[in-house]
């Protein structure tokens, strides 16, 4: 590994990856890979996570294709940098902010969107002119091995390599010197990454998780309730079965409105996933037995079980868990303390919907907050009084596809941001370049100090 990494560094130092034409060729290579290997990618996602091919295309191949096109279209403009204003005293001078690549970067990713979470940062790393090592997760082995094969045959292997393995390999990689580490995963491993990075003063981006709440106001129009319930059900159970960092972790609703919302959600679950969701291929599978038993234990907690109002059936052999709703599990139960990361959805009732603000504020800052409401005052308060990576009104998880807004966490949900131009910036150093002329040199800015006072 050390030999390969040092070979990559040498290649980076040759300047090849800085060329705009190299960056474009790699992005085009990646786009060809996605198009030509689409069927294999969807198959691997089915194998590792039981994702329906339509969901898999929407969440991974489709979004990535768009990100590549955006990067290709904007690359030369992003690379050009921008001129900066200077104070008057700097007459006949010019200043520019010029992006330069960071160097050799490490991207470590998670298993739930194995292609998206590996290639989305890689697009940014390539666009910014870096060499990159990718370490996908060992928990989605078919996807990781396909990633390795695809990247080896479509991209420049002198500068882009995949290393496959688990925590041990992760540790070995973290011992190397990198110019940037981009990590997607748990807060627990995020801490390990950060302390390893500290040894080399390597900058890091941490894309972590947490518990993302969805606040549902007592919507007066039945249409609004229907749409809110539909979007909550689809976002929670229809995207990797709730195994997503921006999945709704729990819902907050007024006590009187909870039965209306629950009934509407049950109807949507039936419509989307059928009477027998296990036989319907639209719910992805839990990634492995370890996560299956973790989720089973969350539900087995006695008080959590008592609050079950829908679903709850499980099949360990096929790693299937039915879309499940709980109402008011105790706040001290595991399901309300840990990130759920699966198709279990607790609904917490409050007296007044405004109480949800304090509820959210009293917990770690989430990656996303969702609020379904037409009440502008509540929207304003929710936005200004809480802190989260993103906030979305009247929908969920759609922020992931909007490449003009930054994607990333704050506080416990991580730091740093990417997507679109933000990915390019994340893998670039903005160098200040100042150009002075030999003409006009004001005598009073140099010693001996003769003026009483002057300001530049
Ligand atoms: P994880 O932290 O267990 O693993 C992430 C990566 O780190 C994997 O590649 C893994 O092999 C590696 N790794 C694991 N242990 C390691 C160690 N001791 N040393 C070095 N490397 C190690 O996380 P996960 O189970 O893959 O993902 C689940 C978590 O990731 C959830 O908390 C979820 O919310 C979060 N997540 C965040 C985002 C985001 O964009 N913010 C996206 C997906 C997942």
């Amino acid at each position: 590994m050390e030999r390969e990494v040092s070979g990559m560094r040498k290649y980076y130092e040759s300047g090849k990856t800085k060329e705009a034409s190299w960056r474009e060729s790699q992005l085009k290579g990646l786009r060809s890979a996605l198009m030509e290997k689409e069927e294999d990618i969807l198959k691997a996602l089915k194998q590792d996570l039981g994702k329906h091919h339509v969901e898999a295309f929407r969440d991974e191949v489709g979004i990535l294709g768009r990100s590549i096109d955006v990067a290709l279209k904007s690359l030369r403009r992003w690379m050009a940098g921008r001129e900066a204003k200077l104070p008057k005293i700097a007459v006949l001078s010019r200043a520019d902010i010029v992006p330069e690549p960071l160097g050799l970067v490490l991207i470590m990713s998670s298993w739930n969107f194995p292609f998206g979470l590996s290639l989305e940062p890689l697009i940014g790393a390539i666009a910014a002119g870096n060499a990159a090592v990718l370490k996908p997760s060992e928990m989605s082995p078919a996807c990781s091995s396909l990633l390795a094969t695809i990247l080896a045959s479509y991209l420049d292997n002198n500068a882009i390599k995949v290393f496959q393995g688990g925590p041990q390999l992760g540790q070995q990689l973290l011992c190397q010197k990198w110019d940037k580490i981009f990590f997607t995963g748990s807060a627990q491993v995020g801490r390990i990454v950060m302390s390893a990075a500290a040894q080399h003063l390597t900058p890091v981006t941490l894309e972590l998780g947490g518990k993302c709440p969805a606040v549902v106001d007592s919507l007066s129009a039945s249409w609004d309730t229907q749409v809110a319930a539909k979007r909550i059900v689809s976002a929670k159970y229809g995207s990797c079965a709730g195994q997503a960092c921006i999945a709704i972790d729990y819902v907050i609703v007024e006590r009187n409105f909870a039965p209306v919302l629950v009934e509407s959600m049950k109807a949507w679950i039936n419509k989307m996933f059928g009477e027998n969701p296990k036989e319907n291929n639209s719910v992805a599978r839990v990634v492995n037995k370890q996560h299956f038993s973790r989720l089973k234990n969350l539900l087995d907690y006695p008080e959590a079980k008592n609050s079950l109002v829908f679903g709850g059936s499980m099949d360990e052999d096929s790693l299937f868990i039915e879309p499940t709703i709980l109402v008011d599990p105790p706040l001290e139960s595991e399901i309300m303390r840990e990130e759920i990361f699966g198709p279990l959805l607790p609904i917490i009732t409050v007296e007044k919907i405004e109480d949800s603000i304090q509820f959210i504020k009293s917990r770690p800052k989430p990656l996303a907050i969702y609020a379904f409401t037409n009440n502008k005052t509540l929207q304003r308060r929710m936005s200004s009084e809480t802190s989260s990576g993103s906030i979305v009104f009247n929908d969920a998880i759609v922020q992931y596809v909007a490449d003009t807004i930054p994607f990333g966490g704050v506080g416990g949900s991580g730091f740093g941001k990417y997507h679109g131009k933000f990915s390019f910036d994340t893998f670039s150093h903005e160098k200040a370049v100042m150009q002075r002329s030999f003409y006009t040199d004001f005598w009073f800015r140099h010693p001996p100090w003769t003026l009483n006072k002057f300001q530049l």
Side-chain angles (χ1 to χ4, degrees), residues 108-113 117 135-139 165-171 174 183-190 192-193 206-210 244-245 291 339 341 367 400 407 413 418:
M108 295 175 74
S109 59
S110 171
W111 48 264
N112 51 342
F113 296 86
L117 299 174
K135 199 213 81 62
S137 172
E138 73 287 2
M139 291 207 206
Q168 205 186 342
L169 175 79
Q171 294 279 3
L174 288 173
F183 172 80
T184 302
S186 61
Q188 188 195 351
V189 181
I192 297 174
V193 169
L206 298 183
E207 296 285 342
L208 311 177
C245 52
H291 276 275
E339 179 181 11
F341 227 59
L367 189 56
Y400 190 83
F407 184 86
S413 51
Y418 74 133

Side-chain angles (χ1 to χ4, degrees), residues 121-157:
L122 184 65
I123 292 168
I126 292 172
N130 298 277
V133 163
L134 170 63
K135 199 213 81 62
S137 172
E138 73 287 2
M139 291 207 206
S140 44
C143 295
S144 297
S145 121
L146 185 60
L147 268 168
T149 318
I150 291 180
L151 297 200
S153 47
Y154 283 83
L155 301 187
D156 177 355
N157 286 179

Side-chain angles (χ1 to χ4, degrees), residues 177-198:
K177 178 174 168 26
W178 305 96
D179 298 304
K180 165 100 192 189
I181 302 175
F182 187 103
F183 172 80
T184 302
S186 61
Q188 188 195 351
V189 181
R191 284 187 191 95
I192 297 174
V193 169
M194 225 173 139
S195 53

Side-chain angles (χ1 to χ4, degrees), residues 212-215 246 357 360 366-373 378-400 405-408 410:
C212 303
V215 174
I246 47 170
I357 295 176
I360 294 169
L367 189 56
I369 293 176
Y370 305 110
F372 294 80
T373 178
L378 182 63
Q379 288 192 0
R380 237 186 339 266
R381 283 195 58 197
M382 193 63 77
S383 201
S384 64
E385 294 179 32
T386 65
S387 179
S388 54
S390 58
I391 184 161
V392 179
F393 294 105
N394 302 331
D395 211 334
I397 73 173
V398 290
Q399 72 273 35
Y400 190 83
I405 52 178
F407 184 86
V410 58

Side-chain angles (χ1 to χ4, degrees), residues 37 54 169 176:
K37 297 293 173 190
V54 175
L169 175 79
Q176 307 289 316

